[in-house]
Amino acid sequence: MLVRPAADNEKPPASFYEALGKALKKRKLKIESICPVTDVVARRILEEYGAIFLAVKKVTPPPVCVFTTEEQVTRFQGAAGFTTETIADATIELQPEAMKALLKARAEAQEENLDITPRGGAEAARRNYEDSMRLWDTRFLPALDYWLGQERLTTEQVSRLRTLPLHDQVAEVLELERSGIFFSKDLSKSILYSIAAPGTSQHIAMLALDVTEFDNPRVREILAKHGWFQTVLSDLPHFTFLGLKEKDLPKHGLKSIEADGQIFWIPNVVDQSR
Ligand SMILES: [Zn+2]
């Protein structure tokens, strides 16, 4: 993964935490209440997936960085509301504002003989808590086998990791990744760039869509024009609805990074002293 700052002609981005504080204040929320500073896992999640908390007021970001039960997810999704559409034979669900923008982007793409379709069926959009646990295991379990085979993990470590409570399991995976024991699908990068930790996916927020045509620069341009951006570094098909203009993203605390030939807008975390 080649990672470098994108265009230097844009304004220096605002600090993510400052911008986040302001965005949440408008919703009468505080950073500490959605993501306690003492919870290292939650903070890491916030710094990887936190762009959704900067989205326009018309959408509802999750009340927490990490959902811990299905019931909590169901309650949030019911309160935020979502609409259903069938696109290319897949039934997808998104928050109404995100869906509206997606349909406009799709219509615009189709005028140019392009298309914007969900990648991998219904799972491309809304997911529940159970989905997020299952998908985590599709990366976590094979990686355990691999690293065991490489003798980087012992049988004891593997069985312990498997039985840890979820929160601790995520914490230990992230810790192992610091020494190069990666858990992404291709085992070359952090699992967080491959699949979200359980209960943390932007898909749970119903503000994310995995797009089949992600490889087409014009499709990405059209999505961006309608407020859909890539905000999870190196997760290539994954787009996030922010509803903001691209030129305003720096002032909302996001910085652009080029990776694998695409532009990602990720939290500009500058204050290391938190
Ligand atoms: Zn995704």
Side-chain angles (χ1 to χ4, degrees):
M1 172 170 68
L2 171 74
V3 178
R4 64 179 179 81
D8 1 286
N9 56 356
E10 69 196 24
K11 281 173 263 162
S15 141
F16 170 68
Y17 276 103
E18 270 178 46
L20 177 66
K22 282 186 206 161
L24 291 176
K25 202 172 171 194
K26 287 185 194 152
R27 301 180 191 269
K28 302 194 168 53
L29 291 170
K30 287 204 170 85
I31 300 180
E32 192 57 24
S33 69
I34 60 161
C35 196
V37 71
T38 49
D39 186 340
V40 178
V41 169
R43 281 291 161 136
R44 173 76 194 280
I45 300 295
L46 180 66
E47 293 175 7
E48 299 290 355
Y49 304 153
I52 42 171
F53 293 99
L54 307 165
V56 280
K57 194 97 189 292
K58 284 178 178 169
V59 300
T60 309
V64 286
C65 283
V66 185
F67 285 101
T68 51
T69 65
E70 191 72 88
E71 197 244 323
Q72 194 185 19
V73 169
T74 307
R75 209 173 336 119
F76 159 73
Q77 292 185 342
F82 55 88
T83 51
T84 304
E85 288 286 338
T86 302
I87 299 180
D89 294 332
T91 304
I92 60 155
E93 293 158 324
L94 290 169
Q95 289 197 31
E97 201 62 23
M99 185 69 87
K100 225 193 288 177
L102 173 66
L103 295 179
K104 279 188 194 163
R106 185 170 191 230
E108 189 168 333
Q110 287 175 331
E111 276 170 30
E112 300 179 24
N113 290 317
L114 298 168
D115 206 352
I116 297 172
T117 60
R119 187 177 196 256
E123 220 158 57
R126 182 176 78 89
R127 293 178 194 160
N128 59 25
Y129 185 75
E130 172 67 31
D131 295 329
S132 78
M133 287 208 300
R134 182 174 41 77
L135 290 166
W136 169 261
D137 280 345
T138 64
R139 306 297 193 274
F140 173 67
L141 298 175
L144 283 183
D145 289 343
Y146 175 80
W147 294 116
L148 180 65
Q150 296 291 307
E151 295 178 5
R152 296 285 301 273
L153 294 176
T154 63
T155 316
E156 293 72 37
Q157 273 179 306
V158 167
S159 47
R160 191 178 146 273
L161 278 161
R162 277 170 177 273
T163 52
L164 279 178
L166 261 182
H167 181 279
D168 301 347
Q169 193 178 78
V170 176
E172 294 218 6
V173 163
L174 297 179
E175 191 53 39
L176 284 169
E177 288 186 335
R178 289 158 63 101
S179 56
I181 300 182
F182 290 117
F183 285 75
S184 67
K185 195 171 191 175
D186 67 2
L187 307 157
S188 76
K189 60 186 180 185
S190 174
I191 191 168
L192 297 180
Y193 304 138
S194 183
I195 202 70
T200 71
S201 174
Q202 293 183 343
H203 291 279
I204 289 181
M206 306 180 294
L207 295 172
L209 180 74
D210 297 337
V211 173
T212 312
E213 299 80 4
F214 70 89
D215 226 3
N216 184 314
R218 179 61 189 147
V219 165
R220 298 199 297 268
E221 201 172 272
I222 294 171
L223 280 162
K225 189 180 151 192
H226 293 276
W228 283 89
F229 304 97
Q230 285 161 292
T231 72
V232 177
L233 189 61
S234 105
D235 185 345
L236 301 177
H238 181 96
F239 289 75
T240 314
F241 181 70
L242 299 179
L244 300 166
K245 290 197 168 65
E246 188 160 29
K247 70 169 176 50
D248 292 335
L249 297 181
K251 79 176 180 220
H252 288 276
L254 299 178
K255 64 177 175 187
S256 61
I257 294 281
E258 189 182 329
D260 302 315
Q262 302 189 29
I263 303 291
F264 296 85
W265 287 96
I266 62 170
N268 181 37
V269 179
V270 284
D271 179 12
Q272 301 300 330
S273 64
R274 289 173 332 273

